[in-house]
Amino acid sequence: MKIKPLQIIAHIILILGVLLMVVPIWISFASSSHDSVTILTEGMKFHIGDQLARNYNEVLNEKGGWSEEVTAAKMFINSFIMALGIATLKVVISAMSAYALVYYRFKLAVPIFWLIFITLLVPLEVRIFPSYKIVSDLGLTNSYTGLILPLVASATATFFFRQFYKTIPDELLESAKLDGANAWSFFIDFLVPLSKTMIAAMFIFMFVYGYSQYLWPLIMTTAEEYWTVVMGMKIIYTESYEGVALPRTAERFAYIILSMIPPVLVVVFLQKWFIKGLIQTEK
Amino acid sequence: MSFLDLKNVTKIYPNGTKAVHETSLSVDEGEFMVFVGPSGCGKSTLLRMVAGLEDITEGDINLDGKLMNEVDPSERDVAMVFQNYALYPHMNVYNNLAYGLKNRGIDKETIEQKVNDAAKLLQISDYLQRKPSMLSGGQRQRVAMGRAIVRNPKIFLFDEPLSNLDAKLRIQMRLEIKKLQQKVGVTSIFVTHDQVEAMTLADRLAVINNGIIEQLGTPIEIYDNPESLFVAGFIGSPQMNFLNGNLTNKTLSAEGFEIKDINSDFEGEVTLGIRPEHLSQTENGLINLKVDLVEQLGSDNLVYGQLKDKKDFCYRCPGNQTIEKGANLSLNIENNKYYIFDKSTGKRVN
C-alpha cells in the first residue's frame, strides 16, 4: 500500500498531539520515582528511578494535614464518594426531571424548563455564600451529604435528557400504555434502557466535574477526615515549606499521578458501554 | 347492545378543530370493521378514542357492555398495531411480545406458552431472540401483530399498519391479516386511506369524510349503492366518471346525450356518475369518447379520453381488445348502472 504525503503529515500531527498529552504525564510519573533531592537538584526526570515503591507508600499512608490526621488514601476515598454521589444523583435527578418536563404536559412546563436552564448562568461559585449558609444551617458541614447535595441539580444534563426524550416517538409511549405500562414502568422499562449510552456519557462528565471540585469542599470541610484529593493537592504537604525541611517534590508527583487514577478508571470502564451504544443503533 | 358501541362520539381539539362529529356506530363481536377516508378525515382520531389515547369530548363508547370513556388505555383490554409498528427497540422479539403479559402479572410459564403459540401462528419463532432493528419490514409487521394477539384482547385496532410496506408485501400482509383475523376471530377495526385495502379486508366498511361517517355497509353495498358523491368518488378504482347534467321531468340531459325514465322525482342540477367498468362499446351509443391514452394492465385496458365538451372520461375494457390512440369510441351504460347526485348537497337522488 502506498502512503500518501498527506497521510504522513496527518500522522505527524496526530503523533504530536498524542505526545503533547502523554509526555507531561510520563514526566510526572518518572519524577515520582526519584527522591525529592534528585528532582530539586537535577530537575524533572524522563526515566524511572528507584524510589517508586517508597514514595507511593509514603503518599498513601503517611498522615498529613494541620493536625496530621488524614492520609492521602482517605482523601481518595472522600473524593470518590463525593464524585460518585454527585454523578449518580445528577444523572438520576436530571433524567427524572426531564421525564416530567417532556411527558407531563402541565402548563408551566416551558417556564420551568427555562428556569432550570438559566441556572447554568449561576454556577456554584456565584451562589457560594447562600449555599454555604443553607448547608451550615442544616448542620451539614463536615458531612458527605453537605459535600454532595448542593451540587446534584444539573441544568446541562436535564437539557440533554430532555432533547433525547423528545426524539422518542409518541407511538412508543402509546403502545406501552396499551401494554399496561404506568408512568413509572415506562421510565424504567423504556427511557432508561433507551438512554443508557447517554446516561454513561453524562455519568462520565459529572463524575469528573464532581471529582475536580475545589472551592466547595474547601469551604465546606473543616474536619480533615472530609478533605478531598483536589484540596489536598494544595494543603497536604504544606508543613514541608515551614522550617528547614526540603519541599517533598517527588511525593507531590506521586500524589498527582494517584489523583488521576479514579477518573481514568471511570472513563475506561464506561467507555465499553459507550462504544457498545454507538455500534448497536437501536433507535 | 352490540359488542362495541359508539354513541354520538365527538372530538373537539383544544384549538377548536372538530375532528369527529357526533358519530354513532356499532361493531358486532368478531366483525372486521374498516374505517376508510382521505387523510385528515378523523378516522384515526376515532380509532384512538376507542383505544383511549384521545379523550372523548362528547358521547359514549361502550365495549363489551362497559362504559369506556374514563377507563385508562391499559385497562381497556384493547391492542393496537401502529403505522410505524412502535416495536420496543431495546427489547428482543420475545420480550416485545411478553411485555404486556408481564405487566398483567401473568406467571412466567404461561407467558412463555402464549408467546410461543403466537410466534408459531405468525411464523416468527426463529426470530424471537432478535432485536427489531435486525428484522425486515414484513417481519416487524408480524411482530407488531404478535404483540397484539398474544394478549388475547377484546378488540384489535389497526392504524394504517400496511402503509410502510412495499406494494407486493402489502398485498401479502393484507391477506395474512384477513386470514389471521378469521382464525383468531377477534373483533377488529382497521383504519386505512387505501380503498382497495378497505374493500378486501372489511366485513363492513365505514367511509368517513370530514369527521362524519358518510356511509356504512358491506364493501359490495357501498360499491353498488354509494349514497353520496364523496363515497362514489372514493370507492372504486379507477375513479367514477362525473358529468354535469340537468334533471327535469324524469329526464336527464347531459352534454351530448339524454337518459329518459329516471326513477327520481328530483328536479334541478345534478351530477351523473358512471363507473369506468360499467360501460361497453356499441354502435350508436350514448357517449362518444375520443381516446387520448390507453393503459394496458394485461387483464384490463384503461382507456382515457375526452367527451365532446372536453370533459375527461375513463373507460375500462377487457385486456384482449386493442384500442388505438385517437380512436372514437361509442359507449353505452350497462344495465342502467349510473348514479345521480344532487349537485348542491352531493346526496344520491336515483
Side-chain angles (χ1 to χ4, degrees), chain B residues 93-107:
Chain B
V93 172
Y94 181 90
N95 285 324
N96 261 284
L97 264 62
Y99 185 71
L101 299 173
K102 280 181 194 159
N103 278 335
R104 266 145 225 265
I106 295 167
D107 66 275

Side-chain angles (χ1 to χ4, degrees), chain B residues 21-123:
Chain B
H21 298 253
E22 302 200 356
T23 297
S24 296
L25 174 82
S26 359
V27 183
D28 293 327
E29 190 155 11
E31 192 177 18
F32 202 120
M33 169 68 78
V34 174
F35 293 169
V36 65
S39 48
C41 72
K43 57 190 190 299
S44 283
T45 312
L46 200 57
L47 187 82
R48 290 165 59 81
M49 284 197 282
V50 175
L53 299 170
E54 299 275 357
D55 292 331
I56 302 160
T57 317
E58 272 168 47
D60 292 335
I61 292 180
N62 278 288
L63 179 63
D64 202 9
K66 273 185 239 121
L67 184 67
M68 285 289 145
N69 287 28
E70 300 298 323
V71 180
D72 206 61
S74 55
E75 309 287 319
R76 288 193 187 197
D77 205 7
V78 300
M80 189 155 165
V81 178
F82 291 86
Q83 183 171 0
N84 61 4
Y85 319 135
L87 298 181
Y88 309 141
H90 56 296
M91 296 183 190
N92 62 23
V93 172
Y94 181 90
N95 285 324
N96 261 284
L97 264 62
Y99 185 71
L101 299 173
K102 280 181 194 159
N103 278 335
R104 266 145 225 265
I106 295 167
D107 66 275
K108 252 192 172 163
E109 279 120 52
T110 320
I111 291 178
E112 205 175 325
Q113 175 84 43
K114 286 188 170 206
V115 170
N116 286 333
D117 287 351
K120 219 169 165 186
L121 187 67
L122 288 159
Q123 298 161 4

Side-chain angles (χ1 to χ4, degrees), chain A residues 7-229:
Chain A
Q7 278 179 316
I8 297 172
I9 294 167
H11 275 88
I12 289 171
I13 292 170
L14 289 173
I15 288 166
L16 283 176
V18 170
L19 289 178
L20 202 67
M21 304 286 280
V22 171
V23 168
I25 296 172
W26 174 253
I27 294 176
S28 306
F29 179 67
S31 302
S32 72
S33 64
H34 293 267
D35 69 38
S36 295
V37 181
T38 321
I39 307 289
L40 282 169
T41 50
E42 295 171 22
M44 299 212 273
K45 296 288 181 186
F46 275 97
H47 62 89
I48 303 279
D50 55 1
Q51 300 292 315
L52 190 78
R54 196 202 71 88
N55 285 347
Y56 281 82
N57 182 40
E58 199 157 292
V59 167
L60 282 173
N61 297 320
E62 190 191 287
K63 293 193 192 287
W66 316 116
S67 48
E68 309 221 331
E69 274 171 0
V70 64
T71 62
K74 175 70 179 160
M75 291 196 288
F76 282 119
I77 293 167
N78 286 346
S79 274
F80 195 77
I81 291 172
M82 181 183 174
L84 196 69
I86 288 173
T88 312
L89 288 173
K90 259 182 192 285
V91 168
V92 171
I93 290 171
S94 316
M96 289 174 101
S97 53
Y99 177 50
L101 286 171
V102 174
Y103 287 96
Y104 290 81
R105 297 196 177 115
F106 53 100
K107 270 186 187 157
L108 291 174
V110 173
I112 287 177
F113 171 71
W114 286 110
L115 204 65
I116 293 173
F117 202 69
I118 57 170
T119 59
L120 278 179
L121 305 175
V122 193
L124 181 76
E125 287 73 14
V126 176
R127 56 181 167 91
I128 202 147
F129 286 112
S131 294
Y132 179 79
K133 171 85 171 113
I134 291 167
V135 171
S136 91
D137 284 354
L138 290 170
L140 292 175
T141 49
N142 289 322
S143 71
Y144 289 123
T145 321
L147 278 174
I148 293 167
L149 210 56
L151 298 171
V152 295
S154 169
T156 331
T158 309
F159 177 72
F160 278 112
F161 278 112
R162 175 182 178 265
Q163 297 309 97
F164 176 74
Y165 292 161
K166 275 175 171 274
T167 64
I168 290 176
D170 285 345
E171 282 88 352
L172 206 61
L173 172 67
E174 291 172 346
S175 185
K177 266 189 196 166
L178 291 172
D179 259 348
N182 56 28
W184 179 247
S185 50
F186 181 69
F187 183 68
I188 295 294
D189 294 340
F190 290 85
L191 294 184
V192 171
L194 285 173
S195 61
K196 64 182 179 206
T197 52
M198 178 113 188
I199 289 173
M202 283 298 143
F203 188 87
I204 292 174
F205 294 143
M206 297 310 166
F207 186 90
V208 174
Y209 166 87
Y211 193 79
S212 57
Q213 281 301 314
Y214 174 65
L215 194 59
W216 182 248
L218 192 68
I219 291 178
M220 267 294 304
T221 56
T222 48
E224 285 169 18
E225 56 180 310
Y226 288 105
W227 280 11
T228 63
V229 173

